[in-house]
Amino acid sequence: MEKKGQVTIFVIIGIVIVAFAVLVYLFYPKISSTFGFTEETPSSYIQKCVEDSVKNSIGKIATQGGSLDPENYYLYKDQKLEYLCYTNLDYLTCVMQQPMLKKHFEEEIAKDVQGKVQECVQGMKTNFKNKGYDIQVSGEGFAVEILPKRINLKINQAVSLTKAEESQKYEFLSVGAESEIYELISIAESILNWEASYGSAETTIYMNYYHNLKVEKLKQSDGTTVYILTNRDSGEKFQFASRSIAWPSGYGATAI
């Protein structure tokens, strides 16, 4: 009876070991991801390398009216705010300066982070070579896309990694960053349409509809209006200037 009991125990232990091995095999990717033991890929390397630069670029450009180096601007608290709707004449509505604002913003981000992207791609090559991989990279260029709740950066470079008999291919490299700038740009475009059509925008309707939005409308002495849009949850801002239906100096027009 003792021998039979021992055999039974060994059989049970064997079954448990086999079952555990099967579970590890099936769920290892999820387990490793949960505890941070994921294998580094070219895309994950680029993500870590570029992400902070993309976020910094968004913040810098958004506080200057959507341009890296504003040309037609209003100086507000020592900061250049691009005129997104402008006329230098009195009593007339303004003309849109950036009718494709989102596309312009995307191009400005791409221009700003271009050097960092090139640096990170070169660092990625060196990183995988040092790990014993033969790495081949083809293609060039990248594009930035502003989407609801996030920004995507797609690097149009295919990567092939080979080590021993193992080979992995990646059609392109991608970086993503959470951002509310899409929503802020959309609201700015709506405000600018009001400025171009009627000379001013009623901002309270936006805050009544978007409860996490703060809109500041600040009239300046020369007829310029400074708009500051803030997402209360994320803290992100988009600020810009407009000059529309301005009164001549000395008439003392009040905000509409």
Side-chain angles (χ1 to χ4, degrees):
M1 290 295 293
E2 277 186 36
K3 289 183 179 180
K4 286 184 179 180
Q6 290 174 347
V7 170
T8 302
I9 292 172
F10 285 129
V11 169
I12 293 172
I13 292 173
I15 292 172
V16 170
I17 292 172
V18 171
F20 179 76
V22 170
L23 289 172
V24 169
Y25 176 78
L26 292 174
F27 296 103
Y28 175 74
K30 292 182 180 179
I31 294 171
S32 61
S33 175
T34 301
F35 290 96
F37 300 123
T38 53
E39 182 182 357
E40 187 175 52
T41 66
S43 284
S44 66
Y45 180 94
I46 297 293
Q47 173 77 31
K48 288 186 290 184
C49 186
V50 176
E51 184 176 6
D52 285 345
S53 294
V54 171
K55 289 181 177 180
N56 291 338
S57 180
I58 295 166
K60 176 171 58 177
I61 294 169
T63 55
Q64 297 180 163
S67 293
L68 263 177
D69 188 17
E71 295 180 1
N72 183 23
Y73 61 86
Y74 180 79
L75 194 63
Y76 176 74
K77 294 185 177 180
D78 297 325
Q79 192 159 32
K80 296 177 181 179
L81 304 187
E82 187 81 42
Y83 277 110
L84 296 182
C85 198
Y86 181 78
T87 179
N88 61 354
L89 302 174
D90 296 328
Y91 306 121
L92 297 181
T93 54
C94 59
V95 177
M96 290 284 201
Q97 304 297 297
Q98 292 293 346
M100 301 180 70
L101 181 57
K102 184 174 83 71
K103 186 176 188 306
H104 174 70
F105 204 118
E106 291 167 343
E107 291 171 348
E108 293 293 277
I109 295 173
K111 190 191 306 181
D112 193 34
V113 302
Q114 182 176 8
K116 184 63 176 179
V117 170
Q118 293 173 346
E119 175 190 320
C120 290
V121 170
Q122 189 57 49
M124 180 266 297
K125 293 178 184 178
T126 302
N127 175 67
F128 282 96
K129 282 181 181 177
N130 291 340
K131 291 181 178 180
Y133 286 94
D134 176 36
I135 181 169
Q136 301 294 325
V137 180
S138 60
E140 59 182 16
F142 67 96
V144 174
E145 186 177 14
I146 297 175
L147 301 169
K149 305 297 182 183
R150 67 184 290 102
I151 286 186
N152 283 346
L153 189 153
K154 181 179 176 181
I155 303 172
N156 301 315
Q157 293 185 330
V159 178
S160 177
L161 297 176
T162 304
K163 188 176 185 181
E165 296 180 357
E166 180 185 355
S167 182
Q168 299 173 0
K169 292 184 178 180
Y170 303 86
E171 294 300 321
F172 59 87
L173 307 173
S174 63
V175 174
E178 292 183 359
S179 175
E180 300 292 340
I181 198 63
Y182 178 95
E183 288 76 11
L184 296 179
I185 290 174
S186 298
I187 293 165
E189 288 176 326
S190 177
I191 289 173
L192 291 165
N193 283 327
W194 279 87
E195 286 276 324
S197 299
Y198 307 108
S200 184
E202 173 51 63
T203 58
T204 56
I205 58 175
Y206 298 101
M207 290 185 283
N208 288 337
Y209 189 79
Y210 301 99
H211 300 299
N212 63 341
L213 176 70
K214 178 183 178 183
V215 181
E216 297 172 78
K217 179 183 177 182
L218 310 171
K219 296 292 286 187
Q220 308 300 306
S221 60
D222 69 339
T224 294
T225 304
V226 170
Y227 287 96
I228 304 175
L229 315 181
T230 306
N231 183 293
R232 299 177 190 271
D233 296 333
S234 68
E236 287 182 271
K237 289 187 177 184
F238 183 55
Q239 53 188 28
F240 58 92
S242 174
R243 188 178 192 274
S244 188
I245 308 190
W247 293 77
S249 178
Y251 272 67
T254 55
I256 300 174

